[in-house]
Amino acid sequence: MSAPRGQFSSKLGFILAAAGSAVGLGNIWGFPTQTASNGGGAFVVVYFVLAFMLAYPALMAELIIGRHARANVVTALGSISSSRFTRLAGTAVGYYGVVIASLILSFYTIVAGWMLAHLIEPLTTALGLSNISAWLTQNSVARNLATAATFALITMWIIARGIENGIEKWSTRLMPMLFAILLLLIIYVMTRPGAMEGLAVYLVPDWSRVTDPGLIIDALGQAFFSLSLGVGTMLVYGSYLSKRENLPGIGVIVTLVDTGIAFIAGLLIIPSIYVAKHYGTTIFTETGELIAGPDLIFQVLPTLFSSMGEIGLVAAFAFFTLMSIAAVTSSISMLEVPVSTAVEQTGLSRPRITYVIGTVIFAISALLIFNFPALFVFVIDLTTKYSEPLLGVAFCLFAGWVLHRDKLLAELKQGSPEVESGIFWKVWPLYVRVVCPVLILVTFFHSVGA
Ligand code: TRP
C-alpha cells in the first residue's frame, strides 16, 4: 500500500536540500564553539580528515541504500535483506532511527525557537517595544513554548507540502540567502578591531592537541551530526533522487558544502568573539577557556551587537536570520524521516500525518522545556553521542554486507556508468564493510570509556 512517491526535480534541488539538511546549527554554532574549546586550528584539521574519511563513506551508505530501495528508512532496511534475521534487524534499526530523528527534532526545535526569539527582538527594539524585547530575550517557560511552537509549525507547514513543493522549493530559496548573509557578516566583522586576533586563534593550529582523544571524539561526533547521519535523513533524501544522477560525485559535493560552510562560519564566529573582547566583553571562563556554549550565542554576541549602536540591530537581525534559516532547512529533514515512514506504511495523506507527528514531537519538546535541567542535555547526549555513531555503523554494515555487491554496483552504475574503473569502487566497498565500522566503534568506545 504505497502512496505515490515524490522526487527532487533536479540535481541542484537535491544538492541544496541535502546541503540544507547538513548545514544547520551544528555548523554555525556547534563547529565554531567546538573549535574554540578544542584548541583552534588543530580541531579544524582533525575535523576535515574525519569528515572525509569516516563521515563521507557513511553518507554514501545511506544515499545508496535509499536510492536503491526507493523507500522510507524502515521499509528500505527491511527490503534489502534476504534473510529473516537481517530483515528483522533492518526493521528494528529503521524504527530506532525514526525515534532518534524525532528526538533530535524535539531538542533542535527548542534551540531554533531561541534563534527566532532573537531574530524578532531587534524589530521590537527598533519599534520601541522594550517589554516585548525583554520577554523575548529572557529565558522563561512561556517564551520557550511560544517560540518552539512557532518553529515547529513552520517545519510542519513545509513538510506537509511534500518533496518538490516543500523541501526542494524552500531549500532552493533559503540556501542562497544563507550563504549571502554569512558572507556579508564576515566582511563586516573583519573590518572591526580585534577581528585579526580571533582569526589567528582560529587558523593557527596548536599541533600538540591533534592526538588528544577528547578532541578526536568531539570531531567525530560533530562530523556525524553535521552531515545529518545515522537516523535515515540522508537515506530518505537519497530515495527521492533520480537514478540518472552520479551518487559518489553528489556525495562529495554535499560533504564539501557542509564542511566548507562550517569552516566559513568559523571565520565569522571566532573573530566576532575577539571583537567583543575588544569592546570589553568577558570572553573567557574562569578556567581560561573561551566561552563556548549557549552563553556565546546569547550573551557574548548580543553584547557585541548592542555595543555597535544602530548598526548592531541590523547585524543582530541578519545573524539570527542566518541561524533561523540554517535551522529550518535542517529541521524539515528530520521531520521527513518519521513522516515518510508513516505515510508509506499507512497510506494516509501526507499533510494529515505531518501535523499529527509534528504535534507529537512538539509535545516532547514541551516535556523537555518543563523539565529542562533533567532532560535537555540527557536527550542531546542520548541521541547525538550514543545513538548516531552506533546507527551509523549499522547503516555501513547494511550497505556493505546486506546489500549485495552486484546490487551496489548496479545501483552506482545508474548515473555513473564508469564507476567500476574509478577509485570510489576500488576503495569504498571494503571501506564501508570493515574500516568504517571498526574506526567508528573504536572511537566510540574510547569516548564512552573516557
Ligand atoms: N546536520 C544538521 C546540523 O548541522 C542537523 C541535522 C539535520 C541532523 N538532520 C539531522 C542531525 C539528522 C542528526 C540527524 O545542524
Side-chain angles (χ1 to χ4, degrees):
M1 213 192 346
S2 61
R5 299 197 94 241
Q7 183 162 324
F8 288 107
S9 72
S10 71
K11 178 175 168 184
L12 183 66
F14 173 83
I15 290 175
L16 289 174
S21 164
V23 174
L25 300 175
N27 298 60
I28 302 175
W29 178 0
F31 178 77
T33 56
Q34 297 251 25
T35 306
S37 52
N38 276 299
F43 182 82
V44 178
V45 173
V46 174
Y47 176 76
F48 274 85
V49 172
L50 292 181
F52 278 91
M53 274 185 40
L54 291 180
Y56 168 70
L59 168 67
M60 289 311 301
E62 286 200 33
L63 291 179
I64 292 179
I65 297 175
R67 198 179 67 165
H68 176 74
R70 286 239 167 286
N72 66 82
V73 59
V74 173
T75 312
L77 289 179
S79 72
I80 60 171
S81 306
S82 45
S83 79
R84 205 178 127 74
F85 170 74
T86 47
R87 199 169 316 128
L88 272 178
T91 309
V93 168
Y95 277 116
Y96 187 43
V98 167
V99 170
I100 297 300
S102 309
L103 286 177
I104 293 179
L105 180 56
S106 74
F107 77 74
Y108 208 82
T109 300
I110 299 173
V111 180
W114 297 337
M115 302 300 164
L116 282 186
H118 282 80
L119 161 67
I120 303 166
E121 184 269 335
L123 302 178
T124 53
T125 301
L127 293 172
L129 305 168
S130 54
N131 286 345
I132 301 187
S133 295
W135 184 80
L136 283 169
T137 48
Q138 273 159 25
N139 197 19
S140 71
V141 166
R143 193 262 330 235
N144 291 345
L145 284 175
T147 56
T150 309
F151 185 81
L153 278 174
I154 298 172
T155 305
M156 290 183 243
W157 183 79
I158 296 178
I159 285 302
R161 304 174 75 82
I163 313 312
E164 209 184 317
N165 274 325
I167 297 175
E168 181 172 352
K169 189 193 255 176
W170 283 97
S171 303
T172 318
R173 285 183 182 167
L174 293 174
M175 288 307 284
M177 271 173 71
L178 177 143
F179 197 65
I181 298 176
L182 187 57
L183 288 188
L184 288 177
L185 281 170
I186 291 177
I187 294 172
Y188 178 71
V189 164
M190 287 301 166
T191 63
R192 312 305 300 161
M196 291 305 138
E197 189 187 349
L199 201 57
V201 171
Y202 182 46
L203 295 180
V204 180
D206 172 2
W207 292 115
S208 68
R209 307 250 335 229
V210 166
T211 50
D212 178 350
L215 181 150
I216 297 176
I217 285 129
D218 283 353
L220 182 69
Q222 175 64 28
F224 267 74
F225 184 82
S226 186
L227 272 171
S228 310
L229 296 178
V231 298
T233 287
M234 289 300 182
L235 186 152
V236 78
Y237 273 25
S239 78
Y240 302 130
L241 180 61
S242 149
K243 297 271 184 195
R244 286 196 313 267
E245 307 298 351
N246 165 354
L247 279 178
I250 286 193
V252 170
I253 298 178
V254 172
T255 311
L256 275 177
V257 173
D258 182 54
T259 47
I261 297 223
F263 179 75
I264 295 174
L267 293 176
L268 171 66
I269 304 290
I270 313 270
S272 299
I273 303 177
Y274 281 81
V275 175
K277 175 175 163 234
H278 182 88
Y279 284 110
T281 309
T282 317
I283 64 164
F284 295 103
T285 61
E286 280 164 13
T287 51
E289 298 273 333
L290 269 183
I291 292 178
D295 284 355
L296 168 64
I297 301 288
F298 302 115
Q299 298 285 332
V300 175
L301 296 183
T303 319
L304 171 62
F305 296 139
S306 56
S307 69
M308 288 161 33
E310 303 255 293
I311 185 106
L313 284 182
V314 180
F317 182 72
F319 178 74
F320 288 106
T321 303
L322 172 75
M323 293 300 240
S324 305
I325 290 178
V328 173
T329 54
S330 295
S331 65
I332 54 177
S333 76
M334 297 173 202
L335 185 56
E336 183 59 21
V337 175
V339 166
S340 59
T341 305
V343 168
E344 288 173 13
Q345 301 223 331
T346 64
L348 294 176
S349 88
R350 170 180 267 271
R352 187 179 315 162
I353 288 200
T354 304
Y355 286 105
V356 170
I357 293 185
T359 307
V360 171
I361 294 176
F362 175 71
I364 304 176
S365 304
L367 198 71
L368 299 189
I369 290 172
F370 283 116
N371 301 282
F372 199 83
L375 290 183
F376 188 67
V377 173
F378 170 75
V379 171
I380 294 183
D381 283 353
L382 174 77
T383 52
T384 61
K385 256 198 195 151
Y386 299 110
S387 299
E388 276 194 272
L390 293 181
L391 279 162
V393 171
F395 282 108
C396 288
L397 295 177
F398 270 89
W401 296 90
V402 177
L403 193 59
H404 204 269
R405 215 180 136 85
D406 308 341
K407 287 194 185 149
L408 274 178
L409 186 59
E411 183 58 48
L412 284 165
K413 274 190 167 169
Q414 312 197 35
S416 38
E418 286 91 47
V419 74
E420 210 173 342
S421 53
I423 166 113
F424 183 82
W425 186 248
K426 292 201 175 66
V427 178
W428 185 79
L430 180 69
Y431 209 84
V432 78
R433 286 181 143 203
V434 183
V435 182
C436 235
V438 169
L439 288 180
I440 297 173
L441 285 176
V442 167
T443 326
F444 177 75
F445 284 109
H446 207 97
S447 82
V448 176

